[in-house]
Amino acid sequence: MKKKGSLSLLALMLVFSVVLAACGNNNENASGSSSPSASAGASGSAAPSGKPINLYVENEIKNLSQWAASDDISFTVLNNVSEGLYRLDADNNPQPALAQDVAISDDKLTYTFTLRDGIQWSNGTPITAADFKYAWLGEMNPTTATNGYSFILTDYIVGGAEYAAGTGTADQVAIEAKDDKTLVVTLKQPTPFFLRLTSLVPYFPLNEAFVTSQGDQYGLAADKLIYAGPYVLESFDIAAGAVLKKNPTYWDNSNVKTDTINLKVIKEQSTALNAYKAGQIDRVTLASSDVDANKSNPEFGTGIKFRTTYLQFNTKAEGLSNVNIRKALSLAFDSNILAATILNNGSSGASGLIPDLMSGDGTKTFRELNGKVIEANIEKAKELWAQGVQELGSAPKLTLLIADTSEVKDVATFLQSEFKNNLGIDVAIDTKTSKARNELMDNNNYQMAVTAWGADYDDAMTYMDLWTNHTPYRGNYESSEYDALIANAKKETDDAKRADMLLQAEKQLVDTDAVVAPIYFGGYSFLQKSNVTGLIYHPYGNPVEFKSAVAQ
């Protein structure tokens, strides 16, 4: 998830091993065979395991108050001790959870959710439609929510933005608890991914009476929470970790496969790897330096995340205002070499802005539909560079702005070398703190920069509408044709037509106008004990599902 115009959930979310160092997606065991998926878990074919599963996180579990939680660790815990109307399955598709089903109006604007019979909080209180309305309004209200994720509701629900801004009232927000089992929500525009949004933590229900009774202590200890998910917290220590126990009141309790999940706080990667080797934890994320030594291990695996690192060109900057110069730079490096030899962590060379496996038209992924919109072509890059230099009158002097992280530094050095070898040009590297880099970009003081974006939700729009704001950070890109494609896609109710507009938009952004040059799609490598199966990792949103996990 991403905060609009700010940091994202994926960026804010602390990197940690339970979620594979970022919202990774791997639903297989280490040997590569399919592990139990959400659907397999629902079959009830395996009895709950007496063996606990031991995992770790790389930082403290800061706060489990739903309105305050803003990091990946907290979101992982909350996703497993509560749930929303829908929950993602092993294929990242939304499946009914606390909701039994939904009716969607013909104009795709009104969603009428029917809750399951008999669902209840861990204290025996019924879960009702009012619990969702209370939680959602609280998330929109800046006086109650401090996590910065109101946008994930207010961007979509009628009246939400006005309520959050103080120009509207709660009564004007289109969320109606029609009765205890019926929740009606009206959206501003067709949103094909809305059911996926309801699986996210900010969309989870909250019990008003309990939250109010706990005051400012809510979410700070195991007994300061009540639970609606597969697990409850037996214990919770900010610095040490947490113990999750199977929730006896959960509606699908019979299909929760493991009785106990232990989460330990281990901050050093080397310490975690040693703990894994000693059998103290069941899964560990590998540093790039440890990948080669473990690739032949049958417990080795890789996964992906919906995150694209790319070159952002400033279309108003000296030299880079020329489209042929931008196109030349885009084609002058081979990101597959970068991913395989330098990153070496499960990342892959980018073939477009939208990552592999993101949804497309409902039948094929976006990448399957649009294919490769960018691919290294050194000879073409040389031709375009020469043409651009001729148009400018001289070769531009270029500087690449980057943040001071080790991975980005490696990427920048690789690009610098590729530009030298393939175009014969010297590109300077300007390294700044992440904050300083962002400020320079915001203030239009850069030519090109390495930056990244991680998905808020499983739809190309989470990327494509960024470049309609015409800001310096997005390269000062202005195109009425591009803006129209995005605006029309947001209103289109036909999925195929909508997808076609987004496909055209990606080609225009990356190929025709060369506003960005995608570099690589995020990935990770890990080791997982061969007796542990059914852990489900998602490339966006709530990072990991424990519900179907089992240790044989």
Side-chain angles (χ1 to χ4, degrees), residues 148-196:
Y149 293 105
S150 65
F151 77 88
I152 208 65
L153 293 98
T154 61
D155 280 3
Y156 307 103
I157 299 174
V158 168
E162 293 80 4
Y163 176 54
T167 59
T169 66
D171 292 340
Q172 294 170 322
V173 181
I175 306 169
E176 179 188 2
K178 196 171 182 179
D179 54 47
D180 284 351
K181 288 190 58 180
T182 309
L183 182 72
V184 182
V185 186
T186 303
L187 307 184
K188 301 176 186 179
Q189 57 202 15
T191 307
F193 46 87
F194 186 67
L195 291 183
R196 286 181 165 85

Side-chain angles (χ1 to χ4, degrees), residues 257-332:
K257 301 303 180 185
T258 296
D259 293 323
T260 304
I261 306 288
N262 295 313
L263 300 181
K264 302 176 181 180
V265 175
I266 305 177
K267 294 187 177 182
E268 297 297 327
Q269 197 280 336
S270 58
T271 303
L273 182 57
N274 288 335
Y276 179 86
K277 291 177 178 179
Q280 297 168 1
I281 56 176
D282 295 318
R283 184 170 179 134
V284 63
T285 301
L286 294 173
S288 296
S289 57
D290 293 321
V291 170
D292 287 340
N294 288 283
K295 277 186 175 178
S296 61
N297 188 330
E299 297 177 341
F300 177 82
T302 62
I304 67 168
K305 46 192 173 182
F306 288 175
R307 182 174 176 83
T308 304
T309 296
Y310 56 90
L311 271 176
Q312 175 64 67
F313 298 120
N314 185 347
T315 62
K316 300 287 179 67
E318 183 178 357
L320 291 175
S321 60
N322 183 280
V323 67
N324 288 316
I325 293 295
R326 300 198 301 268
K327 287 183 176 181
L329 294 168
S330 298
L331 300 178

Side-chain angles (χ1 to χ4, degrees), residues 54-209:
N54 301 307
L55 302 169
Y56 79 105
V57 297
E58 289 185 353
N59 250 307
E60 290 88 356
I61 305 172
K62 290 183 176 181
N63 193 321
L64 295 180
S65 169
Q66 185 171 308
W67 292 333
S70 63
D71 65 275
D72 219 2
I73 296 172
S74 299
F75 272 56
T76 288
V77 176
L78 288 170
N79 183 50
N80 288 284
V81 301
S82 192
E83 71 180 7
L85 297 164
Y86 277 67
R87 181 179 285 273
L88 298 184
D89 64 17
D91 297 318
N92 304 311
N93 294 317
Q95 302 296 339
L98 293 179
Q100 175 180 303
D101 55 37
V102 63
I104 304 174
S105 62
D106 291 341
D107 62 5
K108 301 185 179 181
L109 295 178
T110 301
Y111 287 64
T112 302
F113 296 94
T114 301
L115 303 189
R116 293 183 182 276
D117 292 330
I119 52 176
Q120 58 183 296
W121 296 97
S122 55
N123 67 356
T125 304
I127 298 171
T128 69
D131 293 333
F132 286 93
K133 181 174 181 177
Y134 169 71
W136 295 9
L137 288 174
E139 183 63 56
M140 295 177 184
N141 188 339
T143 64
T144 53
T146 59
N147 58 11
Y149 293 105
S150 65
F151 77 88
I152 208 65
L153 293 98
T154 61
D155 280 3
Y156 307 103
I157 299 174
V158 168
E162 293 80 4
Y163 176 54
T167 59
T169 66
D171 292 340
Q172 294 170 322
V173 181
I175 306 169
E176 179 188 2
K178 196 171 182 179
D179 54 47
D180 284 351
K181 288 190 58 180
T182 309
L183 182 72
V184 182
V185 186
T186 303
L187 307 184
K188 301 176 186 179
Q189 57 202 15
T191 307
F193 46 87
F194 186 67
L195 291 183
R196 286 181 165 85
L197 293 180
T198 69
S199 74
L200 301 174
V201 168
Y203 280 85
F204 287 1
L206 288 172
N207 181 273
E208 182 174 6

